[in-house]
Tab-separated table of all heavy atoms in Angstrom:
chain	number	residue	atom	x	y	z
S	667	ASP	N	113.490	101.689	104.606
S	667	ASP	CA	114.065	102.168	105.855
S	667	ASP	C	113.287	103.405	106.278
S	667	ASP	O	112.617	104.049	105.474
S	667	ASP	CB	115.549	102.513	105.636
S	667	ASP	CG	116.253	102.816	106.935
S	667	ASP	OD1	115.798	102.302	107.972
S	667	ASP	OD2	117.243	103.542	106.907
S	668	GLU	N	113.387	103.794	107.555
S	668	GLU	CA	112.698	104.968	108.049
S	668	GLU	C	113.198	106.226	107.351
S	668	GLU	O	114.337	106.317	106.936
S	668	GLU	CB	112.925	105.136	109.558
S	668	GLU	CG	112.540	103.931	110.358
S	668	GLU	CD	113.742	103.069	110.664
S	668	GLU	OE1	114.514	102.761	109.743
S	668	GLU	OE2	113.904	102.706	111.816
S	669	ASP	N	112.309	107.217	107.232
S	669	ASP	CA	112.643	108.529	106.695
S	669	ASP	C	113.150	108.471	105.261
S	669	ASP	O	113.987	109.270	104.846
S	669	ASP	CB	113.693	109.252	107.569
S	669	ASP	CG	113.155	109.567	108.942
S	669	ASP	OD1	111.932	109.458	109.134
S	669	ASP	OD2	113.942	109.926	109.818
S	670	GLN	N	112.656	107.519	104.492
S	670	GLN	CA	113.085	107.436	103.100
S	670	GLN	C	112.707	108.690	102.326
S	670	GLN	O	113.330	109.048	101.337
S	670	GLN	CB	112.446	106.197	102.441
S	670	GLN	CG	112.866	106.009	100.985
S	670	GLN	CD	112.152	104.858	100.361
S	670	GLN	OE1	111.985	103.823	100.981
S	670	GLN	NE2	111.721	105.029	99.136
S	671	GLU	N	111.647	109.399	102.797
S	671	GLU	CA	111.209	110.593	102.085
S	671	GLU	C	112.251	111.694	102.095
S	671	GLU	O	112.118	112.695	101.379
S	671	GLU	CB	109.906	111.123	102.701
S	671	GLU	CG	110.014	111.561	104.148
S	671	GLU	CD	109.778	110.419	105.118
S	671	GLU	OE1	109.810	109.255	104.689
S	671	GLU	OE2	109.561	110.698	106.305
S	672	ASP	N	113.318	111.547	102.884
S	672	ASP	CA	114.375	112.550	102.911
S	672	ASP	C	115.305	112.459	101.720
S	672	ASP	O	116.241	113.243	101.604
S	672	ASP	CB	115.214	112.403	104.200
S	672	ASP	CG	114.411	112.787	105.430
S	672	ASP	OD1	113.415	113.514	105.275
S	672	ASP	OD2	114.775	112.349	106.526
S	673	ALA	N	115.122	111.462	100.849
S	673	ALA	CA	115.994	111.286	99.689
S	673	ALA	C	116.029	112.555	98.849
S	673	ALA	O	115.006	113.160	98.598
S	673	ALA	CB	115.517	110.117	98.850
S	674	GLU	N	117.226	112.959	98.407
S	674	GLU	CA	117.385	114.247	97.759
S	674	GLU	C	117.699	114.137	96.268
S	674	GLU	O	117.541	115.100	95.536
S	674	GLU	CB	118.526	115.034	98.428
S	674	GLU	CG	118.294	115.273	99.901
S	674	GLU	CD	119.529	115.806	100.588
S	674	GLU	OE1	120.609	115.743	99.970
S	674	GLU	OE2	119.426	116.277	101.723
S	675	GLU	N	118.197	112.995	95.814
S	675	GLU	CA	118.655	112.864	94.441
S	675	GLU	C	117.627	112.146	93.584
S	675	GLU	O	116.959	111.231	94.057
S	675	GLU	CB	119.977	112.076	94.398
S	675	GLU	CG	121.120	112.742	95.115
S	675	GLU	CD	121.628	113.943	94.373
S	675	GLU	OE1	121.575	113.922	93.138
S	675	GLU	OE2	122.064	114.898	95.025
S	676	GLU	N	117.540	112.495	92.321
S	676	GLU	CA	116.653	111.821	91.381
S	676	GLU	C	117.455	110.787	90.604
S	676	GLU	O	118.536	111.068	90.100
S	676	GLU	CB	116.052	112.824	90.380
S	676	GLU	CG	115.038	113.776	90.979
S	676	GLU	CD	113.765	113.066	91.393
S	676	GLU	OE1	113.464	112.025	90.786
S	676	GLU	OE2	113.093	113.544	92.319
S	677	GLN	N	116.919	109.571	90.485
S	677	GLN	CA	117.612	108.491	89.791
S	677	GLN	C	117.898	108.854	88.341
S	677	GLN	O	118.962	108.566	87.815
S	677	GLN	CB	116.754	107.224	89.839
S	677	GLN	CG	117.339	106.085	89.030
S	677	GLN	CD	116.319	104.982	88.831
S	677	GLN	OE1	115.321	104.917	89.544
S	677	GLN	NE2	116.568	104.139	87.889
S	678	SER	N	116.934	109.493	87.655
S	678	SER	CA	117.107	109.806	86.251
S	678	SER	C	118.283	110.747	86.040
S	678	SER	O	119.039	110.610	85.079
S	678	SER	CB	115.834	110.424	85.682
S	678	SER	OG	115.494	111.584	86.413
S	679	SER	N	118.450	111.710	86.941
S	679	SER	CA	119.563	112.647	86.839
S	679	SER	C	120.886	111.948	87.020
S	679	SER	O	121.846	112.197	86.307
S	679	SER	CB	119.402	113.748	87.892
S	679	SER	OG	120.535	114.587	87.920
Side-chain angles (χ1 to χ4, degrees):
D667 189 26
E668 305 97 311
D669 295 347
Q670 181 184 319
E671 62 272 15
D672 291 339
E674 301 169 347
E675 297 288 327
E676 290 292 333
Q677 175 194 342
S678 58
S679 173

